[in-house]
Amino acid sequence: MTFRLLALDGGGIRGYMTARIMHKLEQDAGIDLTSKSVVDGYSGTSTGGLLSIGLATEHKPEMLAKLYRDKALPPFNLARHPRAWGFWHNLRGIVG
């Protein structure tokens, strides 16, 4: 028997990137990561654990990314950190 586990890494605000990548994966592969026919279980460390709980309770990666974007990114004020802004800008070019 095969058990399909989705394990998500921690890293605080980097959970935004993880959620965006999962959303892009769903779009490109045509899958639903909250579907029990796709994933049997979820696991994660720190912010990955929070994302795992979200997925297990059928919250879509797009909604989880929006939550990070709206609630977690503003306190970091990327305008004060130009190198970080460049990283996020490049990431958006990759995952949309």
Side-chain angles (χ1 to χ4, degrees):
M1 180 177 164
T2 302
F3 188 80
R4 296 162 298 190
L5 177 69
L6 180 60
L8 304 173
D9 195 12
I13 193 62
R14 286 181 291 222
Y16 174 71
M17 179 173 57
T18 302
R20 294 287 302 177
I21 291 169
M22 289 189 299
H23 175 61
K24 183 75 170 157
L25 176 65
E26 282 190 331
Q27 288 180 321
D28 291 354
I31 60 173
D32 177 2
L33 292 175
T34 64
S35 171
K36 304 308 180 240
S37 66
V38 175
V39 178
D40 295 313
Y42 305 92
S43 176
T45 300
S46 189
T47 200
L50 296 174
L51 290 169
S52 293
I53 291 168
L55 293 170
T57 56
E58 299 182 359
H59 290 85
K60 301 290 185 193
E62 181 179 21
M63 190 281 300
L64 297 170
K66 182 180 181 328
L67 183 65
Y68 273 85
R69 184 189 71 225
D70 295 347
K71 302 295 184 185
L73 282 177
F76 286 92
N77 191 358
L78 294 177
R80 294 187 315 169
H81 305 283
R83 287 181 55 201
W85 176 250
F87 169 77
W88 288 110
H89 179 71
N90 289 335
L91 175 65
R92 288 196 67 176
I94 295 168
V95 296

